[in-house]
Amino acid sequence: MGAPTWVWLVTVAGILALLAFDYVFHVRKAHTPTLKEAAIWSTIYVAVALLFGLGVLVLGGGAMGGEYFAGYITEKALSVDNLFVFLIIMTSFHVPRADQQKVLLFGITFSLVARTGFIFVGAALINTFAWVFYLFGVILLMTAGNMLKPDDDSEKENVVVRLARRLFHVSEHYDGDKLVTVEDGKRILTPMLLVMVAIGGTDILFALDSIPAIFGLTQNVYLVFTATAFSLLGLRQLYFLLDGLLDRLIYLSYGLAAILAFIGVKLILHALHENNVPFVNDGEPVHVVEVSTGLSLGVILGVLLITILASLFSKRGRVKNAIGNARRHAAAYLDSEYTADPAERERIHDALIAERDFIASLGPKYVEIARDETPLMELLERALASHTAAVERGEAAPAGPPKILRDE
């Protein structure tokens, strides 16, 4: 299993303690974390993962250390990509901002349990059937190809959610973070339960490409488990830290597709090297070049660095990010159920104004792109009109002129 039993017990106890800490001290009382809070706790969780990796490096040697870090970085990058889907789900369900932490933590916990199951199943298959490496390699190559396709179905409800809506009576509104509420004397489900079902269902799909990817970097079950677990811990804080920047990473999917394709090829090469499939080379191993852990780590870091830098310096990425954020903030400002906190509404409005002015500063070409976003323009006009009415009632501070709404 890659480590002595007592090491497994200590590690699992530590991970459960971190999860319990999050539940007790961070999400028990609904609130929206500040940027400072999210940054501090994201840093702490990354530091814990890196310190654990240094421990593996010192006690297990360079090979084990390299495998852990390659697995952790890959899983972390895939987790960031998963945040896009979490954002879409919570936006489509209009989850109140203060309750999003609990939804995310549930998703992380469910994902950890589901992926642990997949890890042990995958390890058992690998130990029993060498051809599984071929299967994992093909899965990753197919996943890489799918990542390059435009996704038009991301906002559709999954099958489980649709089934739940048909079988059970679900309220139209949230009741705090409760999963069940009472309407007309009857106990019914709240949308919060459906959100958690949607998050849990997508987590299972994510695991289908995540686990083969890390098994392509190490077959040490302990390293697979710990790299996966530490990549998930702190994901909740990272969501709020990257809030408003996710759309900026426009080339991330291309980078992840390249990484998954690389690992897929690596797995197939390894399968050929260990081959015992009768119809491939008469069941004899094929002498091929195997990719080292060091090269894998270098490729993963290099691709991610290029992808992130290209995204951050892309003007197209900046305007896409601003348009996406403006759309979400305008919808959130108009959704009275999203938050009842005046300070949070003011924060959303200030962010909306900043995005509006930023798009205007990019020049006529990008202003025209924003104007062509009809749903965005309608939302902006309604949100700004709502704020103007609040100013007239003395409930909000005045804002500047709507720059992207006027002709340049």
Side-chain angles (χ1 to χ4, degrees), residues 31 67 150 203 225 253 268 311 336 357 390 408:
H31 74 285
E67 289 176 1
D203 276 333
F225 172 75
S253 60
I268 292 175
S311 297
S336 60
D357 293 348
E408 296 295 319

Side-chain angles (χ1 to χ4, degrees), residues 124-173:
L125 289 173
I126 287 172
N127 290 331
T128 307
F129 307 107
W131 54 262
V132 170
F133 286 110
Y134 287 114
L135 177 62
F136 281 2
V138 171
I139 288 174
L140 292 182
L141 290 174
M142 292 175 61
T143 303
N146 288 332
M147 277 190 162
L148 299 178
K149 297 178 182 178
D151 186 9
D152 297 324
D153 300 321
S154 56
E155 294 192 38
K156 291 184 179 179
E157 293 180 344
N158 62 37
V159 175
V160 179
V161 173
R162 292 201 302 270
L163 184 62
R165 284 192 184 276
R166 289 181 181 178
L167 295 179
F168 304 102
H169 183 38
V170 182
S171 68
E172 294 294 328
H173 305 286

Side-chain angles (χ1 to χ4, degrees), residues 19-41:
L19 280 174
F21 179 82
D22 257 358
Y23 272 105
V24 173
F25 293 100
H26 286 152
V27 303
R28 185 171 59 177
K29 182 179 180 182
H31 74 285
T32 302
T34 62
L35 184 63
K36 180 180 179 181
E37 178 186 342
I40 290 174
W41 283 104

Side-chain angles (χ1 to χ4, degrees), residues 321-364:
N321 180 63
I323 289 173
N325 289 337
R327 183 184 295 108
R328 283 195 295 272
H329 283 134
Y333 189 85
L334 292 168
D335 186 353
S336 60
E337 194 174 21
Y338 179 80
T339 177
D341 182 4
E344 176 64 12
R345 286 180 61 79
E346 196 64 26
R347 182 195 71 82
I348 294 171
H349 175 264
D350 290 346
L352 180 59
I353 294 300
E355 286 142 6
R356 179 202 68 184
D357 293 348
F358 174 74
I359 295 173
S361 72
L362 293 176

Side-chain angles (χ1 to χ4, degrees), residues 306-322:
I306 292 171
T307 298
I308 291 171
L309 289 177
S311 297
L312 293 179
F313 286 101
S314 165
K315 205 166 186 179
R316 174 173 166 264
R318 291 161 68 190
V319 72
K320 181 180 177 182
N321 180 63

